[in-house]
Amino acid sequence: MSYRKYIKRRRSNKTVVLKRGCKKWPVKLIDWVFDEGWNDFVRENGVQEFDIVVFKHQGNMVFDTMVFDTSWCEREYYNDQVTKPSRKSMKKINTNDQHPSFIKALSSSDSRNRLYIPKKFALANGLSNGEMILKYAENDGSWKVKLANHSGMFYYIQAGLKEFCVANGLKKGDRLKFELTRSGEKPTVTISSMN
């Protein structure tokens, strides 16, 4: 592992801390392999086989993490700060999350050619081919883009995507929430920044 040389001398214990949102997972490290605590991180973040987990060393053996599926869409993570939310807070959560949504970090190819969307999301909401309207929550206006799929395996937004990204100053690494605010013949997706 190439990162060893940067942190090996600073390692004073055999535990690392993995962070995602406000949640932290202590994980034992044995011969540079995650051990006790890793299964908790995997389970609570919905990590599946072939997913990609990105680690960013923050110092002192603390790592910020991001979890992506095989289409490079970030897996949703619900940051529950309260173990047992009240009925009032539950109602607020339900009201805000009434539209289907997913979170994705833009890759370098997303802002140029096509943006892959989760297959499960596409199938569950009848998104396969045709026109789609994109709106950016922080700016006025809307953009027509083309929605397509490859043999029913990969679903993506293509024609019009570059213009949308340029107009709204979106770039590689931006974390965005995609919310299907209108379905039908011309579905509308409202995108908001999670940075």
Side-chain angles (χ1 to χ4, degrees):
M1 297 181 187
S2 59
Y3 67 86
R4 287 187 189 181
K5 63 183 179 180
Y6 298 107
I7 61 178
K8 188 173 183 178
R9 293 178 181 177
R10 302 176 188 176
R11 188 163 69 96
S12 59
N13 55 50
K14 295 183 178 180
T15 300
V16 300
V17 176
L18 304 182
K19 293 175 56 182
R20 193 169 182 210
C22 294
K23 185 80 182 279
K24 298 179 181 180
W25 292 265
V27 178
K28 286 189 178 179
L29 193 64
I30 299 177
D31 292 329
W32 295 98
V33 176
F34 291 141
D35 195 62
E36 185 179 331
W38 172 247
N39 287 339
D40 293 335
F41 174 85
V42 168
R43 183 181 66 255
E44 293 178 32
N45 287 280
V47 180
Q48 299 178 17
E49 189 175 9
F50 304 116
D51 279 359
I52 299 124
V53 182
V54 177
F55 302 88
K56 183 177 181 182
H57 188 227
Q58 298 298 318
N60 202 26
M61 299 304 285
V62 176
F63 294 83
D64 278 336
T65 63
M66 296 177 75
V67 180
F68 299 91
D69 63 19
T70 52
S71 61
W72 279 100
C73 290
E74 186 175 7
R75 290 205 178 278
E76 283 203 50
Y77 168 65
Y78 298 97
N79 185 16
D80 298 322
Q81 297 184 15
V82 181
T83 306
K84 293 183 179 179
S86 64
R87 289 183 179 180
K88 185 177 180 181
S89 64
M90 284 296 289
K91 185 176 181 182
K92 184 177 180 182
I93 291 171
N94 290 337
T95 300
N96 290 341
D97 294 337
Q98 60 184 344
H99 299 295
S101 64
F102 66 93
I103 296 173
K104 177 179 174 64
L106 291 181
S107 67
S108 57
S109 61
D110 287 331
S111 57
R112 291 198 309 266
N113 305 314
R114 57 181 61 172
L115 186 144
Y116 288 92
I117 61 177
K119 181 179 179 180
K120 288 182 181 179
F121 181 86
L123 294 177
N125 295 289
L127 305 175
S128 57
N129 293 296
E131 280 190 354
M132 174 184 279
I133 304 298
L134 293 185
K135 293 185 176 181
Y136 191 52
E138 298 178 18
N139 292 330
D140 292 330
S142 60
W143 288 260
K144 287 184 182 180
V145 296
K146 185 177 179 183
L147 182 65
N149 75 84
H150 179 70
S151 303
M153 294 297 295
F154 302 102
Y155 294 79
Y156 51 88
I157 299 167
Q158 50 175 6
L161 176 65
K162 182 178 180 180
E163 291 77 7
F164 172 81
C165 290
V166 170
N168 292 290
L170 302 178
K171 59 188 183 303
K172 177 183 176 182
D174 286 346
R175 294 179 70 241
L176 304 171
K177 180 177 182 179
F178 294 75
E179 190 172 11
L180 183 63
T181 51
R182 181 181 176 186
S183 55
E185 191 173 324
K186 286 188 181 179
T188 299
V189 170
T190 299
I191 299 174
S192 52
S193 175
M194 301 288 289
N195 292 337

